[in-house]
Amino acid sequence: MVHTGACIANLLGQGGSRKYHLTCNWLRYFKNDRDRRDLITCGSAAGVAAAFRAPVGGVLFALEEAASWWRSALLWRTFFTTAVVAVVLRGLIEFCRSGKCGLFGQGGLIMFDLSSTIATYSTPDLIAIIVLGIIGGIFGGLFNFLLDKILRVYSIINERGAPFKILLTITISIVTSMCSYGLPWLAACTPCPADAVEQCPTISRSGNYKNFQCPQGYYNDLASLFFNTNDDAIRNLFSNGTANEFRMSSLFIFFTAIYCLGLVTYGVAVPSGLFIPVILAGATYGRIVGTLLGSISDLDPGLFALLGAASFLGGTMRMTVSVCVILLELTNDLPMLPLVMLVLLISKTIADNFNKGVYDQIVVMKGFPYMEAHAEPYMRHLVAGDVVSGPLITFSGVEKVGNIVHALRITGHNGFPVVDEPPITETPELVGLVTRSHLLVLLNSKNFMKGQVKTSGSFVLRRFGAFDFAKPGSGKGLKIEDLDFTDEEMDMYVDLHPITNTSPYTVVETMSLAKAAILFRELGLRHLLVVPKTPDRPPIVGILTRHDFMPEHIHSLFPNLNPHKYHSASMAG
């Protein structure tokens, strides 16, 4: 649901899809990078709000995980988005309450209402909860370690083409089906409790007591977990007053199966997430710990299941505030808030000693140039001019068409500095930055000149509308390979001044790289121009992009630089 929300927002932010003829004129108001980023953040928040019926949790999820650049305007936009989601969801639940929508709509916005139990806890309970947090941190760190190894194998398989993707998916599906149907045979039949609130064994599609292969009056506790929907399985584990409903052996089998299936399922070509398997596995071992420590703790095993789910979420996702609020909105169990906060902080602290969070690991594995919120300590020992990668390609203010076409064909650069040189100016001076997409639009118009003469720029206002330079929608955009020029056109000139950003962000070459990194990230830049400190030199040294701040790039330029040495020195200081 998070991916779905982000995809819908991205589609709207790009002006729709030209491939499927779904472009709309009103979408052009979101054609700048910042608005598109905000839209995707709101989309991910809407996905969390819809999946977990947790509007405030969705806002905090976007703040903690999705957004790199947070500000007050984005806060109320995501809040408005999740509020609309909550209202629409409430309306659909009311509409479906009469049974028109199958199993959807049973209940309200709170999915697992645990508010009926009044939780009072003492010092021994806190010791049990600390143990649960430590276990969650260890299991979470191990989960992320194994998931990283499995995803690297899957990426090799998936790169070999669609048939291998489908074969992998079919294999995992068969394994899952065999586990779901085969493992309940290992559990013995249990007599129905005399004080059961629900019908036992359950006749309908969901419920606490699944009959499986047991005689009348008996139920299979392992089948009650495997043969229910994930929501109902979580509800069964969270339920209070059912201390003897699940045997320890069944809980151990279910935890092992869900833990392993959650690992192998994530990464195959199906829309599967991590939240639900992690909540299921965490609730299962939480219930196990609650049963084992029942002699020293008075808390119900169902409440231990909730705290176990929180500990495992903290150990894998490394989110604290958003997970806390999501669980609070899921369960309506406000008295448990301090315990959930405690167990999340413990599990996150323990797991951070082993590896990074699961989302951070996947970003690194995919090779995305993600910038951390803080500058690395070794960046303080470098300056901006040290990491500029070359060769630098610049254009004159009035440039020959052939030079532009050649530069666009041989490089993948997205931005090019524009430098005015004699005879247009007395000395070389930096005009600004021009982007690849704007150059392509200008070349496509073929409004060229025979001489190297600076124009007034009015032709741009006459020839182009306000939205001609905006992205026309997702799908295949204008590429240099699509443009064709004659030899005569290649020798002509084009004035770049009208489409040049004349106020780009610049830093002097002697600025600390750590300061430049913070500036780059906080402003959400794509290009940062580096200018010389002394006169009588070319007016630009180079361009810094996201890739230039990556540790791999810096290490390749300075192999003798040991990041860990500076890190330990700064920690000691």
Short mmCIF file of all heavy atoms in Angstrom, two decimals, residues 375-376 378-388 509-519 544 548-549 554 558:
data_model
loop_
_atom_site.label_atom_id
_atom_site.label_comp_id
_atom_site.label_asym_id
_atom_site.label_seq_id
_atom_site.Cartn_x
_atom_site.Cartn_y
_atom_site.Cartn_z
N ALA A 375 26.78 14.88 7.79
CA ALA A 375 28.01 14.67 7.00
C ALA A 375 28.91 13.69 7.74
O ALA A 375 28.98 13.69 8.97
CB ALA A 375 28.72 16.00 6.79
N GLU A 376 29.59 12.85 6.98
CA GLU A 376 30.52 11.89 7.60
C GLU A 376 31.73 12.64 8.18
O GLU A 376 32.17 13.66 7.63
CB GLU A 376 30.99 10.88 6.55
CG GLU A 376 29.89 10.01 5.98
CD GLU A 376 29.25 9.11 7.02
OE1 GLU A 376 29.90 8.83 8.05
OE2 GLU A 376 28.10 8.69 6.82
N TYR A 378 34.93 12.14 8.12
CA TYR A 378 36.11 12.33 7.26
C TYR A 378 35.91 13.44 6.25
O TYR A 378 36.88 13.93 5.66
CB TYR A 378 36.47 11.01 6.55
CG TYR A 378 35.39 10.44 5.67
CD1 TYR A 378 35.20 10.90 4.38
CD2 TYR A 378 34.56 9.43 6.13
CE1 TYR A 378 34.22 10.38 3.56
CE2 TYR A 378 33.56 8.90 5.32
CZ TYR A 378 33.39 9.37 4.04
OH TYR A 378 32.41 8.86 3.24
N MET A 379 34.66 13.90 6.03
CA MET A 379 34.43 14.99 5.08
C MET A 379 34.99 16.32 5.59
O MET A 379 35.21 17.24 4.81
CB MET A 379 32.93 15.14 4.81
CG MET A 379 32.33 14.02 3.98
SD MET A 379 30.60 14.33 3.58
CE MET A 379 30.22 12.95 2.53
N ARG A 380 35.20 16.40 6.91
CA ARG A 380 35.74 17.65 7.47
C ARG A 380 37.18 17.87 7.04
O ARG A 380 37.70 18.98 7.13
CB ARG A 380 35.67 17.60 8.99
CG ARG A 380 34.27 17.48 9.54
CD ARG A 380 34.30 17.29 11.04
NE ARG A 380 33.01 16.78 11.52
CZ ARG A 380 32.86 16.13 12.66
NH1 ARG A 380 33.91 15.92 13.44
NH2 ARG A 380 31.67 15.69 13.03
N HIS A 381 37.86 16.81 6.61
CA HIS A 381 39.27 16.91 6.24
C HIS A 381 39.45 17.14 4.73
O HIS A 381 40.57 17.15 4.24
CB HIS A 381 40.01 15.63 6.65
CG HIS A 381 39.88 15.33 8.11
ND1 HIS A 381 40.77 15.80 9.05
CD2 HIS A 381 38.95 14.63 8.79
CE1 HIS A 381 40.39 15.38 10.25
NE2 HIS A 381 39.29 14.67 10.13
N LEU A 382 38.33 17.30 4.02
CA LEU A 382 38.38 17.54 2.57
C LEU A 382 37.65 18.83 2.25
O LEU A 382 36.82 19.31 3.03
CB LEU A 382 37.73 16.37 1.81
CG LEU A 382 38.35 14.98 2.01
CD1 LEU A 382 37.45 13.91 1.40
CD2 LEU A 382 39.74 14.92 1.38
N VAL A 383 37.94 19.37 1.05
CA VAL A 383 37.22 20.56 0.58
C VAL A 383 36.47 20.21 -0.70
O VAL A 383 36.69 19.15 -1.30
CB VAL A 383 38.19 21.74 0.33
CG1 VAL A 383 38.82 22.19 1.63
CG2 VAL A 383 39.24 21.36 -0.70
N ALA A 384 35.58 21.10 -1.09
CA ALA A 384 34.71 20.83 -2.24
C ALA A 384 35.51 20.56 -3.51
O ALA A 384 35.16 19.71 -4.33
CB ALA A 384 33.74 21.99 -2.46
N GLY A 385 36.62 21.29 -3.69
CA GLY A 385 37.42 21.11 -4.90
C GLY A 385 38.11 19.77 -4.99
O GLY A 385 38.52 19.33 -6.07
N ASP A 386 38.23 19.05 -3.86
CA ASP A 386 38.94 17.77 -3.85
C ASP A 386 38.17 16.65 -4.55
O ASP A 386 38.77 15.72 -5.09
CB ASP A 386 39.22 17.32 -2.40
CG ASP A 386 40.27 18.18 -1.74
OD1 ASP A 386 41.06 18.81 -2.47
OD2 ASP A 386 40.30 18.24 -0.49
N VAL A 387 36.84 16.71 -4.51
CA VAL A 387 36.04 15.57 -4.98
C VAL A 387 35.33 15.84 -6.30
O VAL A 387 34.55 15.02 -6.77
CB VAL A 387 35.01 15.15 -3.92
CG1 VAL A 387 35.69 14.71 -2.64
CG2 VAL A 387 34.00 16.25 -3.65
N VAL A 388 35.58 17.01 -6.90
CA VAL A 388 34.94 17.30 -8.19
C VAL A 388 35.45 16.32 -9.24
O VAL A 388 36.65 16.15 -9.42
CB VAL A 388 35.24 18.75 -8.62
CG1 VAL A 388 34.80 18.96 -10.05
CG2 VAL A 388 34.54 19.73 -7.71
N GLU A 509 35.67 26.71 -3.93
CA GLU A 509 36.36 25.42 -3.95
C GLU A 509 37.01 25.04 -2.63
O GLU A 509 37.28 23.88 -2.37
CB GLU A 509 37.42 25.41 -5.05
CG GLU A 509 38.50 26.47 -4.88
CD GLU A 509 39.51 26.47 -6.01
OE1 GLU A 509 39.58 25.46 -6.73
OE2 GLU A 509 40.22 27.49 -6.19
N THR A 510 37.25 26.03 -1.77
CA THR A 510 37.90 25.74 -0.48
C THR A 510 36.89 25.49 0.65
O THR A 510 37.29 25.34 1.80
CB THR A 510 38.81 26.91 -0.08
OG1 THR A 510 38.05 28.13 -0.12
CG2 THR A 510 40.01 27.02 -1.01
N MET A 511 35.61 25.46 0.32
CA MET A 511 34.61 25.17 1.36
C MET A 511 34.76 23.74 1.86
O MET A 511 35.02 22.83 1.07
CB MET A 511 33.20 25.40 0.84
CG MET A 511 32.12 25.04 1.86
SD MET A 511 30.45 25.15 1.20
CE MET A 511 29.93 26.70 1.89
N SER A 512 34.57 23.53 3.14
CA SER A 512 34.62 22.19 3.72
C SER A 512 33.59 21.28 3.03
O SER A 512 32.44 21.69 2.81
CB SER A 512 34.33 22.25 5.21
OG SER A 512 34.00 20.97 5.70
N LEU A 513 34.00 20.07 2.69
CA LEU A 513 33.08 19.15 2.02
C LEU A 513 31.90 18.79 2.92
O LEU A 513 30.79 18.57 2.44
CB LEU A 513 33.84 17.87 1.62
CG LEU A 513 33.07 16.87 0.76
CD1 LEU A 513 32.69 17.49 -0.58
CD2 LEU A 513 33.88 15.60 0.54
N ALA A 514 32.13 18.77 4.23
CA ALA A 514 31.04 18.48 5.16
C ALA A 514 29.97 19.57 5.08
O ALA A 514 28.77 19.27 5.04
CB ALA A 514 31.59 18.38 6.58
N LYS A 515 30.39 20.83 5.02
CA LYS A 515 29.42 21.93 4.90
C LYS A 515 28.70 21.87 3.56
O LYS A 515 27.48 22.11 3.49
CB LYS A 515 30.15 23.28 5.03
CG LYS A 515 30.49 23.67 6.45
CD LYS A 515 31.06 25.08 6.48
CE LYS A 515 31.35 25.52 7.91
NZ LYS A 515 31.89 26.89 7.96
N ALA A 516 29.43 21.56 2.50
CA ALA A 516 28.82 21.47 1.17
C ALA A 516 27.78 20.35 1.14
O ALA A 516 26.71 20.49 0.52
CB ALA A 516 29.89 21.25 0.11
N ALA A 517 28.08 19.22 1.81
CA ALA A 517 27.14 18.08 1.83
C ALA A 517 25.86 18.45 2.54
O ALA A 517 24.75 18.12 2.09
CB ALA A 517 27.80 16.88 2.49
N ILE A 518 25.98 19.15 3.68
CA ILE A 518 24.79 19.56 4.44
C ILE A 518 23.97 20.56 3.62
O ILE A 518 22.74 20.47 3.55
CB ILE A 518 25.21 20.16 5.79
CG1 ILE A 518 25.82 19.06 6.67
CG2 ILE A 518 24.02 20.81 6.49
CD1 ILE A 518 26.49 19.56 7.92
N LEU A 519 24.65 21.51 2.98
CA LEU A 519 23.96 22.49 2.13
C LEU A 519 23.23 21.80 0.99
O LEU A 519 22.05 22.08 0.71
CB LEU A 519 24.99 23.48 1.57
CG LEU A 519 24.48 24.54 0.59
CD1 LEU A 519 23.66 25.59 1.32
CD2 LEU A 519 25.63 25.21 -0.15
N LEU A 544 29.26 19.59 -8.43
CA LEU A 544 29.04 18.52 -7.47
C LEU A 544 27.61 17.99 -7.63
O LEU A 544 26.66 18.77 -7.64
CB LEU A 544 29.22 19.04 -6.04
CG LEU A 544 30.65 19.36 -5.59
CD1 LEU A 544 30.63 19.97 -4.18
CD2 LEU A 544 31.52 18.13 -5.62
N ASP A 548 28.97 12.56 -6.15
CA ASP A 548 30.28 13.03 -5.68
C ASP A 548 30.40 13.01 -4.16
O ASP A 548 31.50 13.09 -3.63
CB ASP A 548 30.54 14.46 -6.19
CG ASP A 548 30.63 14.51 -7.71
OD1 ASP A 548 31.34 13.65 -8.27
OD2 ASP A 548 29.99 15.37 -8.32
N PHE A 549 29.27 12.92 -3.46
CA PHE A 549 29.30 12.87 -1.99
C PHE A 549 29.29 11.43 -1.46
O PHE A 549 29.34 11.23 -0.25
CB PHE A 549 28.11 13.63 -1.41
CG PHE A 549 28.16 15.11 -1.64
CD1 PHE A 549 27.41 15.70 -2.65
CD2 PHE A 549 28.96 15.92 -0.85
CE1 PHE A 549 27.46 17.07 -2.86
CE2 PHE A 549 29.01 17.29 -1.06
CZ PHE A 549 28.26 17.86 -2.07
N ILE A 554 34.49 9.02 -2.96
CA ILE A 554 35.56 9.68 -2.20
C ILE A 554 36.70 8.69 -1.93
O ILE A 554 37.88 9.03 -2.04
CB ILE A 554 34.99 10.25 -0.89
CG1 ILE A 554 33.97 11.36 -1.22
CG2 ILE A 554 36.11 10.81 -0.01
CD1 ILE A 554 33.20 11.87 -0.02
N PHE A 558 40.64 8.97 -2.86
CA PHE A 558 41.62 8.99 -1.76
C PHE A 558 41.67 7.61 -1.11
O PHE A 558 41.05 7.40 -0.05
CB PHE A 558 41.23 10.06 -0.73
CG PHE A 558 41.12 11.45 -1.30
CD1 PHE A 558 39.89 11.96 -1.67
CD2 PHE A 558 42.25 12.23 -1.49
CE1 PHE A 558 39.77 13.22 -2.21
CE2 PHE A 558 42.15 13.50 -2.02
CZ PHE A 558 40.91 14.00 -2.39
#
